[in-house]
Amino acid sequence: MIDALIWVILIPLLGGLVAVLFPRIAGITGILSTAGMVFACLVLIKLVADSGPQVYLVGGWSAGLGISLYADGLSSLFLLMTAMIALAVSIYASSYFRQSHLRLHYWPLWLLLLSALSALLLASDLFNIYVTLELLGISAVALTALDGKRPAVEAAVRYLVLGLLGSLGFLAGVALLYAAYGSLDLATLATRIQPGAASWAAAALMTAGLMIKTALFPMHFWLPPAHANAPAPVSAALSALVVKAAFYLVLRLWLDLFGVSLSGGVSTLIGLLGAAAVLWGSWCALQAERLKVLAAYSTVAQIGYLFIFLALILEMPVGIPRDEAIAGLMLMALSHGFAKSAFFLSTGIIQQRQGHDRIKELAGAVQGMPVTTFTLALAGIALIGLPISGAFLGKWQLIDGALYLHDWLLALVVLAGSLLASAYIFRVLGQAFGNSPYPTKVLSIGMQEIPAMVLALIATLVLGLASGPIWPFLEVTVMSGRAGM
Amino acid sequence: MAEYIAMALITTGLIFFIAGSIGLLRLPDLYTRLHALTKADNVGLGMIVLGLAIISGDLITTFKLLLVWLFVLASSAASAHLIAQRARRRERGLWKP
Amino acid sequence: MLSVQMIYGLAGVLLFTFALRVALSQVAFLRRVLAINVAGAGLFLVFISAAYKGAGQPADPVPHALVLTGIVVAFSATALAIALARRLHRPSDDD
Amino acid sequence: MEALIWTVFDFLLITAMLALGWSALSTHSLRRGIALFIAFGLLLSLVWVRLRAPDIALAEAAIGTGLTGALLLAALRDEESAAGAASTEKPKNTIADYLLIAATVILALILGWALIDALMNRQYSGLANEVFTQLDRSGVTNPVTAVLLNFRAYDTFLELAVLLVAVLGIRSLNVSRRPYLKAGLVLSGLTVWLVPVLIVISAYLLWVGAHAPGGAFQSGAVLAAAGVLLRLSGYHGAGLPARIVIRRALMIVGVLVFAIIGLGLMVLGRGFLEYPLAWSGSLILGIETAATLSIAVTLIMAFLAGETGRAGNQEDSSC
């Protein structure tokens, strides 16, 4: 049964190969592979819930020599989110790309991106993480430049250069850690690492490299053009999954590897950068002309929230409030993933139907596409963090944690960020109401609108009301702590 | 005894290389430089290969070394010809990028 | 053995940081691709110098495998970067 | 006495390498920069040989310098024809540049200090002895190939996927290059004579990889060099099979064989890529042959920038 770890990586990869060989059936292979991926993730979640974190030694060699895959509460939940969003995006994309010749190139790259995501979320060997990061970066760049128009290619070029610099920073950290501690496996390194020049420099380099990849505030300028100019299903995946996978790595490194001995002044720096990202991202989203640019800047802001959360977790002593904070962080990450992908997918529908996504000229969108606007509204609720959404519970934990540490400034920033978020979301919704009396027809494009709406519903209703089981699931596995194993 | 012969061969080879590089720096135009480089370096390399063959002693490495020398000879002769041809065409204005 | 590791490792660090400076500054795109390749080479030098075990013993093969993988990954990134640059210089036919 | 000679040699090698690296990045003309980059790569292969890493020297010379250099020169040819004159801009140093220089000097100091600290008080020597104790159970005697294709085979599996994704990305951009003119007498003579020898050498490198420096990547690169040579001398298809389906199959055969063997072993009840001791040698060779084929095809297509060439049918402009 433990093979579920390998199947999650292999199913999309094999799907990608089939899509290269037989382009005519690429769409169906895509949907089937993502469905298989969701099934494998559910099996994995059940496995982790029953018998704790799973370690899979690839090739049968011990963790020191060979590469091991590791699945605990944190990674399997991220995996489930990835698989579900992937399934919805694949269904959406099969009708979004129906006529265009891009279909031939989209599916192989998309499925290989998914296998890179699952390989990264399960990796527990530093150099293996570097290879998955490169695989993820290169496939994301190729997908961004898919439609070949000048703005998309320019954004893809900048994304590639910065992505490579981020990976080089990460590799420099890996080189230092291997030179100092002679191992690449996270678990063995966690036992060997002591505070010293080598581990400090490695932590700084790896975190800086990953900050470029998550587009944290000072290094965020590549994200808005890339996400705004990519085709809708691609920008949904970029914002919801690719950027978050890099954040997952920062979380994994600081919780497992560097956490205990090195946090010190780093958490205040991360908190400051996160706060700046929240304010700057929300402010730019308020000014955005186009829906996609607004969504991209809102991603920059949401990444800021996650880094504020990380700063709080690093400062908290191990105990109940810290587990609560980690569960809260998880909820925010999940609900942002579902909400943002729903937002981008519905923006894609508007762009295809009306030929543009300029917010000022959205009038009448409600009448023409009632379901799409409803999805936009639902996703907006989850992005702001209004009550019935996972983000609300997440932000509640965030403010609770900030107050616990008497950090008034951070709590204030979170509230200001939510205020700005509601401003730019309601600005969009306000424009959408035109004056024609009644909706012409409810569903304009079923194949595209239903997956988007399902994602938005998950972000609000499921994560808002039914997120009970996440707490015990997360606490059992993450807190067992890798170093102890 | 073989050591000294090999030593002598390799040093003369090096001298040819140095001559080739000085030729590259001092000679006036492209063609003479090409001439110096391909001629001097190939003879120099031949000498070094011979010296190394003596040091190595066994047949297979000697054959591999000769193969290396053959490849360098072929590629440097061909590339010298191509560079010179392009330069000639450029002078007579025939070359279109 | 340690001094050889030290010299080559520090040379790798120098290469890495200098190439990073050129890669971060606003220069022609092809030059930035060159800089990223040289920076990668600098890092590989740090890896392999850490693996050097002295003249007598064989070196540690794990960093060698990592650097081999790194070289191929660097090539793929460079190839994609150059293809993207070509697309910028040549407006596509369906524009 | 001998130690002195070695230190002098090291000193000369490092200064030459740093000087080449520095000048490759700071010359004004891009053409000279690329030429110096190729020289830097060859010198780097010499450094790898000095640090007792012959496999890396082979790969650096073949892929890091040869193919990357060919790619850069081809890119330069397109850029020059697009931009007219060779780009000789003199970068003027603004304040941002001085800030950047200061930042990198600090980074260099930190990294240097961290490396010295890492190397000086180092309790854990790397994984070398673990590899050597398990070497006899890996099916090959060359330790680097053992690590690449047995102990860390999963890394190589993902790395082949990286190469595949890069070429798929290039193919989707549809930026095929103008084919080269039919070569003159000398070049086509050289090609006719050299290409078969290159193919034999690549087969030799593949075979020798099991017990001496060599292996899938080096032999794939040599095979790709033969393809690039064909392309330069006017054969549009660059040795690639004309039919699109075969070309696509060759592109993915490396990753596919890896996955099929991994899955096959799982069906037999063993772990993913957990070779049974008796067959591990032949399994590794099978994977390496498939990997060589797909590496060669992907490297050639990266050089062609994904064009199918005249021979391919024009069903779609890229394969």
Side-chain angles (χ1 to χ4, degrees):
Chain A
M1 264 327 287
I2 191 164
D3 295 343
L5 275 96
I6 280 293
W7 280 112
V8 174
I9 300 166
L10 277 183
I11 292 173
L13 197 92
L14 291 172
L17 297 186
V18 166
V20 169
L21 213 51
F22 311 108
R24 261 165 294 284
I25 56 160
I28 305 136
T29 353
I31 296 175
L32 286 181
S33 325
T34 36
M37 205 176 154
V38 170
F39 178 70
C41 282
L42 290 175
V43 166
L44 182 63
I45 290 249
K46 190 165 174 335
L47 197 63
V48 170
D50 297 348
S51 44
Q54 299 297 318
V55 179
Y56 186 90
L57 301 176
V58 181
W61 303 102
S62 67
L65 188 60
I67 298 168
S68 59
L69 299 179
Y70 175 75
D72 67 353
L74 199 65
S75 51
S76 44
L77 265 179
F78 265 110
L79 256 174
L80 185 62
M81 172 186 88
T82 309
M84 289 164 81
I85 294 179
L87 181 59
V89 167
S90 300
I91 297 169
Y92 177 90
S94 62
S95 93
Y96 181 86
F97 284 116
R98 191 176 298 284
Q99 309 84 359
S100 89
H101 69 285
L102 298 179
R103 184 171 28 81
L104 170 76
H105 303 302
Y106 171 76
W107 287 106
L109 288 170
W110 164 242
L111 290 168
L112 286 167
L113 179 105
L114 285 179
S115 70
L117 273 170
S118 40
L120 187 138
L121 291 171
L122 289 172
S124 127
D125 175 287
L126 279 184
F127 190 77
N128 195 339
I129 291 177
Y130 167 72
V131 177
T132 47
L133 261 176
E134 284 284 336
L135 184 60
L136 188 62
I138 289 183
S139 42
V141 163
L143 280 169
T144 313
L146 198 62
D147 63 10
K149 296 193 178 49
R150 174 162 279 274
V153 175
E154 263 161 17
V157 161
R158 195 178 303 117
Y159 184 12
L160 179 66
V161 169
L162 278 164
L164 288 177
L165 290 177
S167 305
L168 277 181
F170 187 84
L171 189 62
V174 173
L176 279 176
L177 284 181
Y178 185 78
Y181 301 107
S183 164
L184 291 166
D185 181 56
L186 273 179
T188 29
L189 270 177
T191 54
R192 295 183 179 175
I193 200 162
Q194 291 105 14
S199 39
W200 265 103
L205 275 166
M206 291 165 100
T207 318
L210 288 172
M211 276 183 192
I212 295 177
K213 289 211 165 236
T214 53
L216 184 60
F217 173 66
M219 307 303 291
H220 68 289
F221 45 86
W222 60 267
L223 186 136
H227 291 198
N229 293 313
V234 171
S235 35
L238 288 179
S239 265
L241 304 174
V242 174
V243 175
K244 201 144 301 116
F247 173 76
Y248 162 80
L249 281 180
V250 176
L251 195 61
R252 172 67 70 197
L253 286 178
W254 280 99
L255 282 187
D256 280 3
L257 194 58
F258 304 123
V260 176
S261 53
L262 292 172
S263 52
V266 170
S267 51
T268 35
L269 172 69
I270 292 179
L272 267 177
L273 288 180
V278 165
L279 296 177
W280 179 254
S282 314
W283 177 254
C284 292
L286 207 53
Q287 258 86 25
E289 295 305 320
R290 289 172 47 215
L291 265 176
K292 279 192 160 181
V293 174
L294 179 137
Y297 274 112
S298 126
T299 305
V300 171
Q302 296 284 337
I303 290 291
Y305 284 119
L306 297 181
F307 272 100
I308 293 177
F309 235 125
L310 178 63
L312 292 182
I313 290 170
L314 287 179
E315 275 176 27
M316 283 184 185
V318 179
I320 297 303
R322 190 169 190 245
D323 305 343
E324 298 277 329
I326 290 183
L329 174 107
M330 200 61 206
L331 256 176
M332 268 197 79
L334 289 179
S335 78
H336 170 257
F338 288 112
K340 184 52 60 64
S341 45
F343 196 95
F344 264 118
L345 294 184
S346 29
T347 320
I349 300 170
I350 293 174
Q351 200 170 18
Q352 259 192 347
R353 302 249 324 152
Q354 295 194 333
H356 66 78
D357 62 342
R358 284 185 293 280
I359 299 173
K360 293 260 179 312
E361 290 140 27
L362 270 182
V366 173
Q367 277 63 24
M369 298 168 276
V371 173
T372 314
T373 332
F374 174 65
T375 320
L376 266 181
L378 269 182
I381 291 169
L383 288 177
I384 304 166
L386 293 179
I388 33 152
S389 76
F392 171 71
L393 298 173
K395 277 189 180 161
W396 184 272
Q397 288 299 340
L398 184 57
I399 297 169
D400 191 29
L403 297 184
Y404 174 80
L405 289 170
H406 307 302
D407 203 331
W408 316 107
L409 184 68
L410 281 188
L412 208 62
V413 162
V414 170
L415 292 177
S418 313
L419 204 63
L420 281 169
S422 43
Y424 64 70
I425 293 290
F426 290 125
R427 181 169 79 95
V428 167
L429 294 181
Q431 299 285 353
F433 290 92
N435 38 35
S436 55
Y438 44 82
T440 45
K441 57 182 170 24
V442 178
L443 269 180
S444 48
I445 319 166
M447 275 282 275
Q448 293 186 5
E449 286 183 324
I450 291 174
M453 196 168 72
V454 166
L455 286 177
L457 284 174
I458 294 174
T460 47
L461 296 185
V462 171
L463 286 177
L465 304 177
S467 67
I470 286 184
W471 259 267
F473 181 71
L474 264 182
E475 276 162 18
V476 159
T477 48
V478 167
M479 284 311 108
S480 67
R482 286 284 310 288
M485 242 195 358
Chain B
M1 182 46 197
E3 285 290 321
Y4 297 109
I5 301 172
M7 202 82 79
L9 275 172
I10 291 177
T11 30
T12 41
L14 284 183
I15 291 163
F16 273 99
F17 267 103
I18 294 164
S21 344
I22 292 172
L24 174 69
L25 297 175
R26 298 282 299 162
L27 289 171
D29 67 358
L30 178 97
Y31 305 106
T32 43
R33 284 198 194 132
L34 270 180
H35 189 71
L37 267 185
T38 31
K39 292 286 183 305
D41 286 358
N42 285 343
V43 171
L45 187 62
M47 296 269 192
I48 291 177
V49 157
L50 216 57
L52 289 177
I54 295 171
I55 292 177
S56 75
D58 83 67
L59 206 59
I60 306 218
T61 1
T62 328
F63 176 68
K64 280 185 191 168
L65 285 169
L66 276 176
L67 211 60
V68 166
W69 187 45
L70 250 173
F71 280 155
V72 170
L73 270 181
S75 54
S76 63
S79 42
H81 164 79
L82 285 171
I83 296 170
Q85 186 183 35
R86 183 170 189 273
R88 287 295 299 156
R89 281 204 188 134
R90 182 177 280 244
E91 269 162 25
R92 280 198 256 95
L94 289 176
W95 183 262
K96 43 188 175 0
Chain C
M1 184 267 286
L2 190 61
S3 65
V4 171
Q5 282 182 333
M6 205 72 79
I7 311 165
Y8 281 97
L10 291 177
V13 164
L14 265 176
L15 257 181
F16 172 65
T17 34
F18 175 75
L20 213 59
R21 182 192 88 75
V22 175
L24 284 172
S25 56
Q26 301 306 336
V27 282
F29 178 68
L30 266 188
R31 193 182 295 277
R32 288 179 91 169
V33 171
L34 271 186
I36 289 174
N37 275 309
V38 171
L43 272 187
F44 297 153
L45 194 49
V46 171
F47 258 112
I48 298 288
S49 61
Y52 181 71
K53 288 271 185 293
Q57 293 170 311
D60 173 0
V62 171
H64 292 194
L66 305 185
V67 166
L68 223 131
T69 313
I71 289 175
V72 174
V73 165
F75 174 82
S76 341
T78 316
L80 185 62
I82 286 171
L84 283 169
R86 263 183 63 71
R87 186 62 197 237
L88 279 182
H89 292 309
R90 206 176 64 100
S92 71
D93 22 44
D94 52 27
D95 252 14
Chain D
M1 176 53 189
E2 202 202 314
L4 179 68
I5 296 172
W6 271 111
T7 26
V8 166
F9 174 71
D10 284 338
F11 181 71
L12 282 176
L13 195 59
I14 289 179
T15 32
M17 180 186 66
L18 289 177
L20 264 176
W22 183 77
S23 53
L25 293 181
S26 51
T27 48
H28 313 317
S29 119
L30 203 51
R31 176 171 288 277
R32 191 183 307 128
I34 292 176
L36 284 168
F37 173 74
I38 294 174
F40 167 75
L42 291 176
L43 200 69
L44 199 57
S45 323
L46 198 57
V47 169
W48 298 140
V49 172
R50 162 40 184 139
L51 289 173
R52 296 174 63 80
D55 298 73
I56 315 292
L58 270 172
E60 180 74 38
I63 302 174
T65 316
L67 282 165
T68 316
L71 208 61
L72 287 167
L73 285 173
L76 194 68
R77 166 182 174 240
D78 313 324
E79 197 160 297
E80 268 171 3
S81 61
S87 56
T88 54
E89 13 75 24
K90 165 76 184 70
K92 48 166 178 33
N93 280 353
T94 61
I95 307 124
D97 281 333
Y98 291 121
L99 264 178
L100 204 55
I101 293 170
T104 34
V105 163
I106 296 163
L107 181 67
L109 291 177
I110 294 171
L111 273 182
W113 180 45
L115 188 65
I116 292 169
D117 166 59
L119 291 177
M120 292 298 276
N121 37 37
R122 180 181 187 181
Q123 298 102 359
Y124 309 90
S125 75
L127 296 161
N129 27 41
E130 260 179 73
V131 169
F132 292 124
T133 43
Q134 306 271 11
L135 196 55
D136 47 13
R137 289 180 54 223
S138 73
V140 282
T141 46
N142 174 7
V144 177
T145 315
V147 173
L148 258 178
L149 282 153
N150 198 339
F151 302 141
R152 295 183 69 91
Y154 179 60
D155 257 355
T156 317
F157 176 54
L158 286 184
E159 181 218 327
L160 287 174
V162 168
L163 198 57
L164 176 64
V165 164
V167 171
L168 289 175
I170 293 168
R171 182 181 72 143
S172 73
L173 287 169
N174 187 0
V175 276
S176 46
R177 284 196 171 78
R178 292 199 316 283
Y180 290 81
L181 306 169
K182 198 82 188 80
L185 195 61
V186 171
L187 184 56
S188 50
L190 180 76
T191 316
V192 162
W193 178 71
L194 204 55
V195 165
V197 173
L198 280 175
I199 293 171
V200 168
I201 289 177
S202 111
Y204 165 74
L205 273 176
L206 176 63
W207 173 254
V208 90
H211 52 273
F217 297 103
Q218 295 85 345
S219 77
V222 168
L223 210 56
V228 168
L229 194 60
L230 279 171
R231 171 77 177 174
L232 291 179
S233 57
Y235 296 88
H236 300 320
L240 292 175
R243 282 168 46 86
I244 301 289
V245 181
I246 300 176
R247 193 172 296 195
R248 285 188 194 140
L250 277 177
M251 258 201 312
I252 62 168
V253 75
V255 184
L256 193 65
V257 165
F258 235 121
I260 287 172
I261 289 184
L263 285 176
L265 292 169
M266 278 165 79
V267 164
L268 292 177
R270 302 177 68 88
F272 182 70
L273 290 179
E274 191 180 343
Y275 310 129
L277 200 53
W279 311 335
S280 52
S282 40
L283 275 179
I284 286 180
L285 190 62
I287 291 178
E288 272 197 309
T289 337
T292 308
L293 280 177
S294 70
I295 289 166
V297 167
T298 31
L299 293 180
I300 294 173
M301 283 190 56
F303 179 72
L304 299 180
E307 182 211 36
T308 57
R310 185 182 31 75
N313 51 41
Q314 288 311 328
E315 169 237 334
D316 55 359
S317 61
S318 57
C319 73

